[in-house]
């Protein structure tokens, strides 16, 4: 047998200026995706072959995903969620704490398989929840201090422009454009702009 050509150095294989350590794209939570697929497939009473057929993907692809291998794209995960009759977030949603921060570019991101497009899950709506959406325009000055809302309220804040100090009154978090924060709305909380022209999207979730 002839001698195989040696593999190119990792730096060359990745291309100039790119490495796993410096990539700004967060890794997919493959273990959680695999566990969720197995759990939901079992719940639905489907075999690997039947779920793959319903989702329009190869059985080998599904088998790899359930083994936490491969790189599922947005279309594949969407097709699987439709076949399983669950929201796509069920396959991605990480465990959450009372106060949860996702810095810009750090959320679990799924790229499209056919377009220059990606989606990062920030928060999945729990069963029975109602969510109201607000656009905030905030200027420096006195903070907007809020008393506790009704029990079970959670607020989600995404900064569009400027900088803001927001969250629990006793321990607010400084946020920049693209950052996401969730915190209990049924406890005292605050919001204060740190730059002129600060804008945010606020989602109030009620259960």
């Amino acid at each position: 047998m002839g001698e195989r050509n040696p593999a190119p150095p990792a730096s060359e294989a990745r291309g100039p200026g790119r490495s796993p350590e410096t990539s700004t794209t967060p890794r997919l939570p493959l273990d959680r995706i695999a566990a969720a697929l197995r759990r939901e497939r079992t719940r639905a009473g489907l075999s690997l072959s039947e779920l793959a057929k319903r989702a329009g993907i190869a059985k080998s692809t599904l088998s790899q995903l359930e083994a936490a291998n491969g790189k599922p794209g947005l279309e594949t995960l969407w097709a699987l969620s439709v076949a399983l009759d669950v929201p796509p977030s069920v396959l991605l949603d990480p465990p959450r704490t009372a106060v949860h921060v996702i810095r810009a570019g750090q959320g679990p991101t799924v790229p499209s398989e056919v377009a220059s497009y990606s989606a990062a899950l920030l928060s999945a709506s729990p069963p029975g929840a109602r969510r109201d959406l607000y656009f905030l325009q905030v200027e420096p000055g006195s903070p907007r201090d809020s008393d506790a809302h009704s029990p079970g309220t959670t607020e989600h804040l995404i900064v569009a422009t400027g900088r803001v100090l927001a969250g629990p009154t006793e321990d607010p978090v400084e946020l920049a454009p693209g950052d996401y924060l969730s915190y209990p709305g049924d406890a005292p909380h605050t919001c204060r702009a740190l730059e002129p022209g600060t804008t945010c999207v606020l989602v109030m979730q009620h259960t």
Side-chain angles (χ1 to χ4, degrees):
M1 295 178 62
E3 184 176 342
R4 292 183 179 179
N5 291 327
S11 59
E12 294 180 17
R14 288 190 297 264
R18 298 180 62 186
S19 69
E21 293 75 20
T22 59
S23 173
T24 58
T25 302
R27 292 184 177 182
L28 284 175
L30 294 179
D31 289 341
R32 285 201 299 272
I33 292 173
L37 282 171
R38 293 192 299 267
R39 181 189 68 238
E40 295 303 322
R41 182 171 63 80
T42 300
R43 176 195 58 79
L46 299 174
S47 65
L48 274 170
S49 298
E50 182 62 24
L51 177 55
K53 181 180 178 181
R54 291 189 182 190
I57 66 174
K59 178 183 176 181
S60 59
T61 298
L62 178 57
S63 180
Q64 286 184 332
L65 292 180
E66 288 201 1
N69 294 320
K71 296 181 180 179
L74 191 62
E75 290 77 12
T76 296
L77 290 179
W78 190 274
L80 286 167
S81 71
V82 171
L84 290 166
D85 193 26
V86 297
S89 58
V90 168
L91 305 181
L92 284 170
D93 196 31
R96 299 298 173 97
T97 56
V99 177
H100 186 65
V101 182
I102 297 178
R103 297 297 180 186
Q106 292 184 354
T109 302
V110 187
S112 169
E113 296 164 351
V114 297
S116 179
Y117 179 98
S118 64
L121 176 68
L122 300 180
S123 172
S125 181
R130 184 181 79 250
R131 287 182 166 181
D132 303 321
L133 187 67
Y134 299 90
F135 180 71
L136 307 182
Q137 296 175 283
V138 194
E139 296 296 334
S142 299
R144 170 70 171 91
D145 293 324
S146 300
D147 293 329
H149 301 313
S150 58
T153 299
T154 300
E155 295 196 356
H156 306 264
L157 192 70
I158 304 168
V159 179
T161 59
R163 290 186 304 121
V164 70
L165 190 68
T169 301
E170 298 301 321
D171 192 22
V173 180
E174 183 174 332
L175 304 168
D179 289 347
Y180 161 81
L181 170 71
S182 68
Y183 52 90
D186 53 5
H189 49 281
T190 188
C191 180
R192 178 166 66 91
L194 301 178
E195 291 182 1
T198 295
T199 59
C200 307
V201 174
L202 173 68
V203 179
M204 292 188 66
Q205 173 184 304
H206 313 277
T207 55

